[in-house]
Amino acid sequence: MNSKLEQFANSGFMRKVQGFSAKLSQSPAFGTISQGMGGTMGLIMIGAVVQIICAVGGMLFGWKAGTPIYDLLYMPYELTMGLLGLFMSFTLAYSYAKRLGVKAQLQSGFTSMVCFILVCSPLISATTESGQTVRALNVGSLGANGIFVAILIGLISVRITKFSVDHNWIIRMPDVVPEGILNSFNSIIPSGINILIWYGLAILISNLTNGAMTLGTLITTIIATPLSYLVSPLGMIVIVILFCLSWFFGIHGGSVVFTAIMPIYIAAYTTNAELAAAGQPLVFNPVFLYGCLTILGGSGNTLPLCIMGLKSKSKQISAVAKASFVPGLFNINEPAIFGFPILYNPVLLIPFILNSLVVMGFMYVAFKFNLMSVPQILIMTTLPVGIQQFMSTLDWRNVVFVFLMFPIVFLIYYPFFKIYEKQCIAKEEAEAQE
């Protein structure tokens, strides 16, 4: 096994992948993305714990969105994972400014946050239940679905700041002024330029779409619109690949892909619900194959990856695996996606896509030969591994299918995991010697 793994690791294809991965890791921009994601891991974990509590409460006590107890407990999630894009816009800009030698690092982070809000969720007037009019932000635009925009703004805004400083577009102060105050004044003009550019972009998009879109929703729409025409067995292959690639580039795969297929998805479930109520045979719809993406630990089926990482010799991988394992049991895998990470990691991207396609192939065969049931009950919440498959079909065979896929997904991840683990161990040893 080890010799075959070594042969695979040393193959021409994997050499190219590892070379590409090394170039990405050495790039200040991509290194910043990894560091910026790491800076939000604490918030991601809090959000994951809250999701688990609410999921368990839903199963045991019937809690659901809209009930007082659920909304009360869910609030920390909305202010952690629900604002992940906002927090990441700060950590990315701060880390990138530090890498590029920009002294106004905190100011760069704050500027990025302001620009992110201007572009993704400008202030609106809202009326409270008591009739009071307040100025508010749509926090739904500032979460994980805004990560790609946060990455763009975090990196580009710092580049604009550095360009301004390098060309002396700053307010000069005497050298005796404390460094903190000096950096604040030096950042006034660069911050103003950033705000003008990003706010101008926000106004342009708003005017062109009659206020219907922001930069975030525009990007999502551009990607999602063609996907709605791909709901067929072959088209689902494209949808699955684009779902995984979206996560790789920092775009919330679910918010893009599911947005495109949601009307078809809901209609397919509704059709089967009506057929089941009438005692008629259920029908297969290719959109059901979308389930191949999240049967084992969330997007990309990362639970087996977390399990093999529990005994890893890499401190980074071991820590991430321990933090990701329990959320993974509940199909919550933001800690894994942002912790390993999957984003901008070509070594893990390959099995991330490949295992989903393989599971989809097995799922298609199982549906066609009636080895498991097609769904009939629409479940729009996070549930533990296997539970969602049972509750949506009321068929124990669907749960068996999930566990039969575990060793297959494990084997697909394993060689790529070992290659990535070797890279992490080498990096940790090099850092320990410095």
Side-chain angles (χ1 to χ4, degrees):
M1 180 69 178
N2 288 333
S3 61
K4 290 183 178 180
L5 183 60
E6 287 294 329
Q7 290 176 6
F8 177 71
N10 293 321
S11 65
F13 171 72
M14 284 311 302
R15 284 181 180 275
K16 290 180 180 179
V17 172
Q18 291 180 70
F20 180 55
S21 178
K23 288 181 180 179
L24 284 183
S25 63
Q26 292 168 5
S27 164
F30 289 105
T32 296
I33 292 171
S34 178
Q35 188 174 355
M37 289 185 295
T40 60
M41 275 300 293
L43 298 174
I44 291 172
M45 285 305 304
I46 292 172
V49 170
V50 171
Q51 280 186 292
I52 292 172
I53 293 172
C54 290
V56 172
M59 289 187 295
L60 298 180
F61 309 112
W63 298 345
K64 58 183 179 180
T67 58
I69 184 65
Y70 184 96
D71 291 347
L72 180 68
L73 292 174
Y74 203 66
M75 182 65 71
Y77 174 86
E78 293 186 306
L79 298 180
T80 51
M81 276 296 298
L83 296 177
L84 187 61
L86 178 63
F87 297 133
M88 197 168 287
S89 69
F90 175 87
T91 58
L92 283 165
Y94 178 86
S95 300
Y96 198 41
K98 190 174 182 179
R99 283 176 178 263
L100 296 183
V102 176
K103 292 183 179 180
Q105 294 159 13
L106 281 174
Q107 289 78 10
S108 295
F110 294 139
T111 297
S112 178
M113 289 179 70
V114 171
C115 294
F116 178 73
I117 292 172
L118 286 172
V119 167
C120 281
S121 183
L123 283 166
I124 58 174
S125 295
T127 304
T128 64
E129 293 181 357
S130 61
Q132 181 182 5
T133 300
V134 297
R135 298 291 281 167
L137 292 174
N138 178 10
V139 295
S141 302
L142 304 178
N145 56 351
I147 289 174
F148 184 68
V149 179
I151 292 172
L152 286 179
I153 294 176
L155 298 180
I156 296 174
S157 65
V158 172
R159 278 294 180 181
I160 293 173
T161 296
K162 181 172 173 54
F163 181 86
S164 302
V165 173
D166 290 346
H167 288 77
N168 292 316
W169 297 352
I170 57 176
I171 298 176
R172 294 192 174 276
M173 300 290 289
D175 294 337
V176 295
V177 175
E179 184 178 2
I181 298 176
L182 182 64
N183 290 336
S184 295
F185 273 90
N186 286 347
S187 67
I188 291 175
I189 294 177
S191 295
I193 294 172
N194 265 300
I195 290 173
L196 285 173
I197 291 173
W198 292 108
Y199 191 36
L201 179 62
I203 293 173
L204 177 64
I205 293 173
S206 179
N207 287 335
L208 291 176
T209 62
N210 294 320
M213 291 186 179
T214 64
L215 178 59
T217 55
L218 177 61
I219 291 173
T220 299
T221 301
I222 291 172
I223 298 173
T225 300
L227 295 181
S228 61
Y229 300 98
L230 292 173
V231 179
S232 66
L234 290 177
M236 290 303 297
I237 295 175
V238 178
I239 286 177
V240 167
I241 292 173
L242 288 177
F243 176 95
C244 298
L245 284 175
S246 295
W247 272 118
F248 176 77
F249 287 108
I251 302 172
H252 193 292
S255 67
V256 173
V257 175
F258 191 67
T259 297
I261 66 173
M262 183 168 59
I264 302 169
Y265 186 86
I266 294 175
Y269 272 82
T270 302
T271 297
N272 275 351
E274 293 173 352
L275 289 172
Q280 299 295 320
L282 306 185
V283 296
F284 167 76
N285 189 305
V287 77
F288 295 144
L289 298 175
Y290 182 77
C292 72
L293 288 159
T294 55
I295 66 169
L296 282 168
S299 302
N301 302 315
T302 52
L303 181 59
L305 181 65
C306 296
I307 291 175
M308 67 182 72
L310 291 174
K311 295 185 178 180
S312 174
K313 295 180 181 178
S314 165
K315 295 179 180 178
Q316 173 191 329
I317 291 177
S318 177
V320 171
K322 290 175 182 176
S324 305
F325 174 66
V326 174
L329 291 175
F330 287 80
N331 282 314
I332 299 167
N333 74 333
E334 283 85 356
I337 284 181
F338 295 111
F340 274 99
I342 304 294
L343 276 70
Y344 296 98
N345 186 342
V347 174
L348 292 183
L349 171 66
I350 296 171
F352 190 71
I353 296 175
L354 183 59
N355 90 79
S356 301
L357 292 175
V358 170
V359 171
M360 185 176 72
F362 280 107
M363 185 176 286
Y364 180 73
V365 171
F367 281 143
K368 280 297 182 182
F369 289 93
N370 196 31
L371 300 176
M372 64 180 192
S373 297
V374 295
Q376 58 173 293
I377 302 169
L378 183 60
I379 306 292
M380 300 285 281
T381 188
T382 300
L383 293 172
V385 171
I387 300 297
Q388 183 161 359
Q389 286 72 22
F390 176 75
M391 292 184 66
S392 63
T393 61
L394 303 178
D395 190 339
W396 60 268
R397 294 180 302 168
N398 291 56
V399 180
V400 173
F401 177 83
V402 171
F403 290 100
L404 287 176
M405 290 299 102
F406 182 90
I408 294 172
V409 175
F410 188 98
L411 289 174
I412 292 173
Y413 267 117
Y414 184 75
F416 297 93
F417 166 79
K418 297 304 291 185
I419 291 168
Y420 181 59
E421 180 187 45
K422 186 177 180 180
Q423 291 179 353
C424 290
I425 292 172
K427 180 181 177 182
E428 290 166 6
E429 290 175 348
E431 290 175 348
Q433 294 174 0
E434 291 180 356

PDB file of all heavy atoms in Angstrom, residues 311-341:
ATOM      1  N   LYS A 311      -5.574  11.030  13.941  1.00  0.00           N
ATOM      2  CA  LYS A 311      -4.302  10.441  14.351  1.00  0.00           C
ATOM      3  C   LYS A 311      -3.135  10.960  13.512  1.00  0.00           C
ATOM      4  O   LYS A 311      -2.068  10.348  13.474  1.00  0.00           O
ATOM      5  CB  LYS A 311      -4.377   8.918  14.250  1.00  0.00           C
ATOM      6  CG  LYS A 311      -5.373   8.289  15.224  1.00  0.00           C
ATOM      7  CD  LYS A 311      -5.323   6.771  15.162  1.00  0.00           C
ATOM      8  CE  LYS A 311      -6.280   6.152  16.169  1.00  0.00           C
ATOM      9  NZ  LYS A 311      -6.239   4.656  16.132  1.00  0.00           N
ATOM     10  N   SER A 312      -3.337  12.083  12.869  1.00  0.00           N
ATOM     11  CA  SER A 312      -2.289  12.638  12.006  1.00  0.00           C
ATOM     12  C   SER A 312      -1.084  13.105  12.832  1.00  0.00           C
ATOM     13  O   SER A 312      -1.217  13.583  13.964  1.00  0.00           O
ATOM     14  CB  SER A 312      -2.840  13.813  11.201  1.00  0.00           C
ATOM     15  OG  SER A 312      -1.821  14.449  10.474  1.00  0.00           O
ATOM     16  N   LYS A 313       0.106  12.961  12.254  1.00  0.00           N
ATOM     17  CA  LYS A 313       1.333  13.435  12.892  1.00  0.00           C
ATOM     18  C   LYS A 313       1.509  14.938  12.708  1.00  0.00           C
ATOM     19  O   LYS A 313       2.375  15.545  13.344  1.00  0.00           O
ATOM     20  CB  LYS A 313       2.534  12.686  12.324  1.00  0.00           C
ATOM     21  CG  LYS A 313       2.532  11.199  12.643  1.00  0.00           C
ATOM     22  CD  LYS A 313       3.742  10.498  12.051  1.00  0.00           C
ATOM     23  CE  LYS A 313       3.714   8.998  12.354  1.00  0.00           C
ATOM     24  NZ  LYS A 313       4.871   8.297  11.741  1.00  0.00           N
ATOM     25  N   SER A 314       0.704  15.525  11.831  1.00  0.00           N
ATOM     26  CA  SER A 314       0.735  16.974  11.635  1.00  0.00           C
ATOM     27  C   SER A 314      -0.085  17.644  12.732  1.00  0.00           C
ATOM     28  O   SER A 314      -1.244  17.303  12.945  1.00  0.00           O
ATOM     29  CB  SER A 314       0.173  17.339  10.259  1.00  0.00           C
ATOM     30  OG  SER A 314      -0.130  18.717  10.196  1.00  0.00           O
ATOM     31  N   LYS A 315       0.501  18.584  13.433  1.00  0.00           N
ATOM     32  CA  LYS A 315      -0.213  19.275  14.505  1.00  0.00           C
ATOM     33  C   LYS A 315      -1.401  20.061  13.959  1.00  0.00           C
ATOM     34  O   LYS A 315      -2.465  20.100  14.570  1.00  0.00           O
ATOM     35  CB  LYS A 315       0.745  20.217  15.245  1.00  0.00           C
ATOM     36  CG  LYS A 315       1.859  19.494  15.993  1.00  0.00           C
ATOM     37  CD  LYS A 315       2.781  20.482  16.686  1.00  0.00           C
ATOM     38  CE  LYS A 315       3.899  19.751  17.428  1.00  0.00           C
ATOM     39  NZ  LYS A 315       4.838  20.705  18.083  1.00  0.00           N
ATOM     40  N   GLN A 316      -1.204  20.680  12.802  1.00  0.00           N
ATOM     41  CA  GLN A 316      -2.290  21.458  12.192  1.00  0.00           C
ATOM     42  C   GLN A 316      -3.463  20.558  11.839  1.00  0.00           C
ATOM     43  O   GLN A 316      -4.612  20.842  12.206  1.00  0.00           O
ATOM     44  CB  GLN A 316      -1.798  22.163  10.929  1.00  0.00           C
ATOM     45  CG  GLN A 316      -2.918  22.857  10.144  1.00  0.00           C
ATOM     46  CD  GLN A 316      -2.482  23.318   8.761  1.00  0.00           C
ATOM     47  OE1 GLN A 316      -1.326  23.651   8.554  1.00  0.00           O
ATOM     48  NE2 GLN A 316      -3.400  23.341   7.801  1.00  0.00           N
ATOM     49  N   ILE A 317      -3.193  19.476  11.140  1.00  0.00           N
ATOM     50  CA  ILE A 317      -4.262  18.581  10.706  1.00  0.00           C
ATOM     51  C   ILE A 317      -4.950  17.943  11.904  1.00  0.00           C
ATOM     52  O   ILE A 317      -6.175  17.832  11.947  1.00  0.00           O
ATOM     53  CB  ILE A 317      -3.705  17.500   9.763  1.00  0.00           C
ATOM     54  CG1 ILE A 317      -3.275  18.134   8.434  1.00  0.00           C
ATOM     55  CG2 ILE A 317      -4.737  16.407   9.521  1.00  0.00           C
ATOM     56  CD1 ILE A 317      -2.651  17.164   7.464  1.00  0.00           C
ATOM     57  N   SER A 318      -4.172  17.521  12.891  1.00  0.00           N
ATOM     58  CA  SER A 318      -4.749  16.892  14.080  1.00  0.00           C
ATOM     59  C   SER A 318      -5.681  17.852  14.811  1.00  0.00           C
ATOM     60  O   SER A 318      -6.786  17.472  15.225  1.00  0.00           O
ATOM     61  CB  SER A 318      -3.627  16.436  15.020  1.00  0.00           C
ATOM     62  OG  SER A 318      -4.165  15.896  16.210  1.00  0.00           O
ATOM     63  N   ALA A 319      -5.257  19.105  14.965  1.00  0.00           N
ATOM     64  CA  ALA A 319      -6.083  20.091  15.668  1.00  0.00           C
ATOM     65  C   ALA A 319      -7.376  20.365  14.905  1.00  0.00           C
ATOM     66  O   ALA A 319      -8.463  20.436  15.496  1.00  0.00           O
ATOM     67  CB  ALA A 319      -5.293  21.392  15.848  1.00  0.00           C
ATOM     68  N   VAL A 320      -7.271  20.500  13.590  1.00  0.00           N
ATOM     69  CA  VAL A 320      -8.455  20.761  12.771  1.00  0.00           C
ATOM     70  C   VAL A 320      -9.401  19.565  12.810  1.00  0.00           C
ATOM     71  O   VAL A 320     -10.620  19.721  12.925  1.00  0.00           O
ATOM     72  CB  VAL A 320      -8.054  21.077  11.313  1.00  0.00           C
ATOM     73  CG1 VAL A 320      -9.289  21.122  10.411  1.00  0.00           C
ATOM     74  CG2 VAL A 320      -7.303  22.391  11.249  1.00  0.00           C
ATOM     75  N   ALA A 321      -8.857  18.352  12.721  1.00  0.00           N
ATOM     76  CA  ALA A 321      -9.681  17.143  12.727  1.00  0.00           C
ATOM     77  C   ALA A 321     -10.450  17.004  14.042  1.00  0.00           C
ATOM     78  O   ALA A 321     -11.632  16.650  14.051  1.00  0.00           O
ATOM     79  CB  ALA A 321      -8.813  15.915  12.481  1.00  0.00           C
ATOM     80  N   LYS A 322      -9.786  17.288  15.154  1.00  0.00           N
ATOM     81  CA  LYS A 322     -10.445  17.191  16.455  1.00  0.00           C
ATOM     82  C   LYS A 322     -11.575  18.209  16.574  1.00  0.00           C
ATOM     83  O   LYS A 322     -12.633  17.927  17.145  1.00  0.00           O
ATOM     84  CB  LYS A 322      -9.430  17.396  17.574  1.00  0.00           C
ATOM     85  CG  LYS A 322      -8.445  16.244  17.719  1.00  0.00           C
ATOM     86  CD  LYS A 322      -7.382  16.553  18.769  1.00  0.00           C
ATOM     87  CE  LYS A 322      -6.370  15.409  18.866  1.00  0.00           C
ATOM     88  NZ  LYS A 322      -5.269  15.724  19.824  1.00  0.00           N
ATOM     89  N   ALA A 323     -11.337  19.407  16.029  1.00  0.00           N
ATOM     90  CA  ALA A 323     -12.363  20.451  16.095  1.00  0.00           C
ATOM     91  C   ALA A 323     -13.503  20.193  15.122  1.00  0.00           C
ATOM     92  O   ALA A 323     -14.624  20.653  15.343  1.00  0.00           O
ATOM     93  CB  ALA A 323     -11.734  21.815  15.802  1.00  0.00           C
ATOM     94  N   SER A 324     -13.235  19.450  14.057  1.00  0.00           N
ATOM     95  CA  SER A 324     -14.220  19.256  12.982  1.00  0.00           C
ATOM     96  C   SER A 324     -15.035  17.973  13.112  1.00  0.00           C
ATOM     97  O   SER A 324     -16.082  17.849  12.474  1.00  0.00           O
ATOM     98  CB  SER A 324     -13.510  19.238  11.618  1.00  0.00           C
ATOM     99  OG  SER A 324     -12.732  20.391  11.433  1.00  0.00           O
ATOM    100  N   PHE A 325     -14.546  17.011  13.919  1.00  0.00           N
ATOM    101  CA  PHE A 325     -15.159  15.686  13.942  1.00  0.00           C
ATOM    102  C   PHE A 325     -16.618  15.709  14.407  1.00  0.00           C
ATOM    103  O   PHE A 325     -17.516  15.214  13.715  1.00  0.00           O
ATOM    104  CB  PHE A 325     -14.347  14.742  14.831  1.00  0.00           C
ATOM    105  CG  PHE A 325     -14.993  13.395  15.036  1.00  0.00           C
ATOM    106  CD1 PHE A 325     -15.140  12.515  13.971  1.00  0.00           C
ATOM    107  CD2 PHE A 325     -15.470  13.011  16.278  1.00  0.00           C
ATOM    108  CE1 PHE A 325     -15.750  11.280  14.143  1.00  0.00           C
ATOM    109  CE2 PHE A 325     -16.078  11.784  16.465  1.00  0.00           C
ATOM    110  CZ  PHE A 325     -16.210  10.917  15.390  1.00  0.00           C
ATOM    111  N   VAL A 326     -16.881  16.289  15.579  1.00  0.00           N
ATOM    112  CA  VAL A 326     -18.253  16.293  16.108  1.00  0.00           C
ATOM    113  C   VAL A 326     -19.190  17.098  15.212  1.00  0.00           C
ATOM    114  O   VAL A 326     -20.282  16.610  14.863  1.00  0.00           O
ATOM    115  CB  VAL A 326     -18.289  16.818  17.558  1.00  0.00           C
ATOM    116  CG1 VAL A 326     -19.736  16.960  18.041  1.00  0.00           C
ATOM    117  CG2 VAL A 326     -17.529  15.858  18.487  1.00  0.00           C
ATOM    118  N   PRO A 327     -18.827  18.330  14.787  1.00  0.00           N
ATOM    119  CA  PRO A 327     -19.710  19.016  13.831  1.00  0.00           C
ATOM    120  C   PRO A 327     -19.942  18.194  12.564  1.00  0.00           C
ATOM    121  O   PRO A 327     -21.041  18.202  12.011  1.00  0.00           O
ATOM    122  CB  PRO A 327     -18.947  20.310  13.514  1.00  0.00           C
ATOM    123  CG  PRO A 327     -18.113  20.556  14.725  1.00  0.00           C
ATOM    124  CD  PRO A 327     -17.714  19.191  15.201  1.00  0.00           C
ATOM    125  N   GLY A 328     -18.908  17.460  12.115  1.00  0.00           N
ATOM    126  CA  GLY A 328     -19.041  16.633  10.920  1.00  0.00           C
ATOM    127  C   GLY A 328     -20.086  15.553  11.078  1.00  0.00           C
ATOM    128  O   GLY A 328     -20.764  15.187  10.111  1.00  0.00           O
ATOM    129  N   LEU A 329     -20.238  15.016  12.281  1.00  0.00           N
ATOM    130  CA  LEU A 329     -21.272  14.011  12.538  1.00  0.00           C
ATOM    131  C   LEU A 329     -22.668  14.577  12.294  1.00  0.00           C
ATOM    132  O   LEU A 329     -23.609  13.844  12.016  1.00  0.00           O
ATOM    133  CB  LEU A 329     -21.172  13.497  13.975  1.00  0.00           C
ATOM    134  CG  LEU A 329     -19.937  12.649  14.324  1.00  0.00           C
ATOM    135  CD1 LEU A 329     -19.926  12.334  15.810  1.00  0.00           C
ATOM    136  CD2 LEU A 329     -19.912  11.359  13.508  1.00  0.00           C
ATOM    137  N   PHE A 330     -22.789  15.903  12.423  1.00  0.00           N
ATOM    138  CA  PHE A 330     -24.067  16.576  12.206  1.00  0.00           C
ATOM    139  C   PHE A 330     -24.127  17.236  10.833  1.00  0.00           C
ATOM    140  O   PHE A 330     -24.945  18.110  10.593  1.00  0.00           O
ATOM    141  CB  PHE A 330     -24.292  17.624  13.304  1.00  0.00           C
ATOM    142  CG  PHE A 330     -24.637  17.033  14.647  1.00  0.00           C
ATOM    143  CD1 PHE A 330     -23.651  16.528  15.472  1.00  0.00           C
ATOM    144  CD2 PHE A 330     -25.953  16.969  15.070  1.00  0.00           C
ATOM    145  CE1 PHE A 330     -23.966  15.974  16.710  1.00  0.00           C
ATOM    146  CE2 PHE A 330     -26.283  16.426  16.302  1.00  0.00           C
ATOM    147  CZ  PHE A 330     -25.283  15.924  17.121  1.00  0.00           C
ATOM    148  N   ASN A 331     -23.235  16.806   9.947  1.00  0.00           N
ATOM    149  CA  ASN A 331     -23.178  17.354   8.584  1.00  0.00           C
ATOM    150  C   ASN A 331     -22.910  18.856   8.581  1.00  0.00           C
ATOM    151  O   ASN A 331     -23.413  19.594   7.722  1.00  0.00           O
ATOM    152  CB  ASN A 331     -24.464  17.047   7.815  1.00  0.00           C
ATOM    153  CG  ASN A 331     -24.490  15.615   7.315  1.00  0.00           C
ATOM    154  OD1 ASN A 331     -23.521  15.122   6.757  1.00  0.00           O
ATOM    155  ND2 ASN A 331     -25.604  14.927   7.539  1.00  0.00           N
ATOM    156  N   ILE A 332     -22.107  19.301   9.531  1.00  0.00           N
ATOM    157  CA  ILE A 332     -21.666  20.700   9.598  1.00  0.00           C
ATOM    158  C   ILE A 332     -20.159  20.693   9.360  1.00  0.00           C
ATOM    159  O   ILE A 332     -19.410  20.172  10.196  1.00  0.00           O
ATOM    160  CB  ILE A 332     -21.976  21.323  10.980  1.00  0.00           C
ATOM    161  CG1 ILE A 332     -23.485  21.298  11.247  1.00  0.00           C
ATOM    162  CG2 ILE A 332     -21.432  22.740  11.075  1.00  0.00           C
ATOM    163  CD1 ILE A 332     -23.853  21.589  12.692  1.00  0.00           C
ATOM    164  N   ASN A 333     -19.708  21.198   8.245  1.00  0.00           N
ATOM    165  CA  ASN A 333     -18.279  21.039   7.972  1.00  0.00           C
ATOM    166  C   ASN A 333     -17.539  22.323   7.627  1.00  0.00           C
ATOM    167  O   ASN A 333     -16.463  22.292   7.034  1.00  0.00           O
ATOM    168  CB  ASN A 333     -18.060  20.003   6.861  1.00  0.00           C
ATOM    169  CG  ASN A 333     -18.428  20.515   5.490  1.00  0.00           C
ATOM    170  OD1 ASN A 333     -19.266  21.396   5.354  1.00  0.00           O
ATOM    171  ND2 ASN A 333     -17.808  19.962   4.468  1.00  0.00           N
ATOM    172  N   GLU A 334     -18.079  23.461   8.050  1.00  0.00           N
ATOM    173  CA  GLU A 334     -17.298  24.694   7.890  1.00  0.00           C
ATOM    174  C   GLU A 334     -15.947  24.619   8.606  1.00  0.00           C
ATOM    175  O   GLU A 334     -14.938  25.086   8.067  1.00  0.00           O
ATOM    176  CB  GLU A 334     -18.091  25.913   8.387  1.00  0.00           C
ATOM    177  CG  GLU A 334     -19.168  26.400   7.451  1.00  0.00           C
ATOM    178  CD  GLU A 334     -20.484  25.656   7.625  1.00  0.00           C
ATOM    179  OE1 GLU A 334     -20.518  24.707   8.439  1.00  0.00           O
ATOM    180  OE2 GLU A 334     -21.457  26.012   6.960  1.00  0.00           O
ATOM    181  N   PRO A 335     -15.889  24.014   9.831  1.00  0.00           N
ATOM    182  CA  PRO A 335     -14.560  23.890  10.460  1.00  0.00           C
ATOM    183  C   PRO A 335     -13.571  23.111   9.607  1.00  0.00           C
ATOM    184  O   PRO A 335     -12.382  23.440   9.576  1.00  0.00           O
ATOM    185  CB  PRO A 335     -14.870  23.139  11.766  1.00  0.00           C
ATOM    186  CG  PRO A 335     -16.283  23.513  12.077  1.00  0.00           C
ATOM    187  CD  PRO A 335     -16.964  23.587  10.746  1.00  0.00           C
ATOM    188  N   ALA A 336     -14.035  22.094   8.889  1.00  0.00           N
ATOM    189  CA  ALA A 336     -13.136  21.315   8.031  1.00  0.00           C
ATOM    190  C   ALA A 336     -12.757  22.091   6.772  1.00  0.00           C
ATOM    191  O   ALA A 336     -11.587  22.137   6.385  1.00  0.00           O
ATOM    192  CB  ALA A 336     -13.807  19.987   7.643  1.00  0.00           C
ATOM    193  N   ILE A 337     -13.735  22.719   6.140  1.00  0.00           N
ATOM    194  CA  ILE A 337     -13.472  23.441   4.895  1.00  0.00           C
ATOM    195  C   ILE A 337     -12.511  24.601   5.125  1.00  0.00           C
ATOM    196  O   ILE A 337     -11.597  24.839   4.333  1.00  0.00           O
ATOM    197  CB  ILE A 337     -14.794  23.940   4.277  1.00  0.00           C
ATOM    198  CG1 ILE A 337     -15.524  22.762   3.618  1.00  0.00           C
ATOM    199  CG2 ILE A 337     -14.543  25.023   3.242  1.00  0.00           C
ATOM    200  CD1 ILE A 337     -16.826  23.134   2.953  1.00  0.00           C
ATOM    201  N   PHE A 338     -12.698  25.332   6.230  1.00  0.00           N
ATOM    202  CA  PHE A 338     -11.839  26.481   6.497  1.00  0.00           C
ATOM    203  C   PHE A 338     -10.600  26.120   7.298  1.00  0.00           C
ATOM    204  O   PHE A 338      -9.643  26.896   7.352  1.00  0.00           O
ATOM    205  CB  PHE A 338     -12.631  27.561   7.249  1.00  0.00           C
ATOM    206  CG  PHE A 338     -13.757  28.146   6.456  1.00  0.00           C
ATOM    207  CD1 PHE A 338     -15.075  27.905   6.815  1.00  0.00           C
ATOM    208  CD2 PHE A 338     -13.514  28.912   5.335  1.00  0.00           C
ATOM    209  CE1 PHE A 338     -16.127  28.427   6.074  1.00  0.00           C
ATOM    210  CE2 PHE A 338     -14.553  29.447   4.592  1.00  0.00           C
ATOM    211  CZ  PHE A 338     -15.864  29.206   4.967  1.00  0.00           C
ATOM    212  N   GLY A 339     -10.623  24.946   7.938  1.00  0.00           N
ATOM    213  CA  GLY A 339      -9.503  24.577   8.796  1.00  0.00           C
ATOM    214  C   GLY A 339      -8.404  23.816   8.100  1.00  0.00           C
ATOM    215  O   GLY A 339      -7.216  24.113   8.282  1.00  0.00           O
ATOM    216  N   PHE A 340      -8.729  22.817   7.285  1.00  0.00           N
ATOM    217  CA  PHE A 340      -7.660  22.027   6.644  1.00  0.00           C
ATOM    218  C   PHE A 340      -6.703  22.877   5.800  1.00  0.00           C
ATOM    219  O   PHE A 340      -5.485  22.662   5.933  1.00  0.00           O
ATOM    220  CB  PHE A 340      -8.291  20.913   5.804  1.00  0.00           C
ATOM    221  CG  PHE A 340      -8.580  19.678   6.608  1.00  0.00           C
ATOM    222  CD1 PHE A 340      -9.851  19.418   7.087  1.00  0.00           C
ATOM    223  CD2 PHE A 340      -7.570  18.784   6.912  1.00  0.00           C
ATOM    224  CE1 PHE A 340     -10.120  18.281   7.849  1.00  0.00           C
ATOM    225  CE2 PHE A 340      -7.819  17.637   7.659  1.00  0.00           C
ATOM    226  CZ  PHE A 340      -9.106  17.395   8.124  1.00  0.00           C
ATOM    227  N   PRO A 341      -7.078  23.764   4.967  1.00  0.00           N
ATOM    228  CA  PRO A 341      -8.401  24.063   4.445  1.00  0.00           C
ATOM    229  C   PRO A 341      -8.624  23.364   3.109  1.00  0.00           C
ATOM    230  O   PRO A 341      -7.689  22.865   2.500  1.00  0.00           O
ATOM    231  CB  PRO A 341      -8.337  25.579   4.230  1.00  0.00           C
ATOM    232  CG  PRO A 341      -6.903  25.817   3.816  1.00  0.00           C
ATOM    233  CD  PRO A 341      -6.077  24.791   4.559  1.00  0.00           C
TER     234      PRO A 341
END
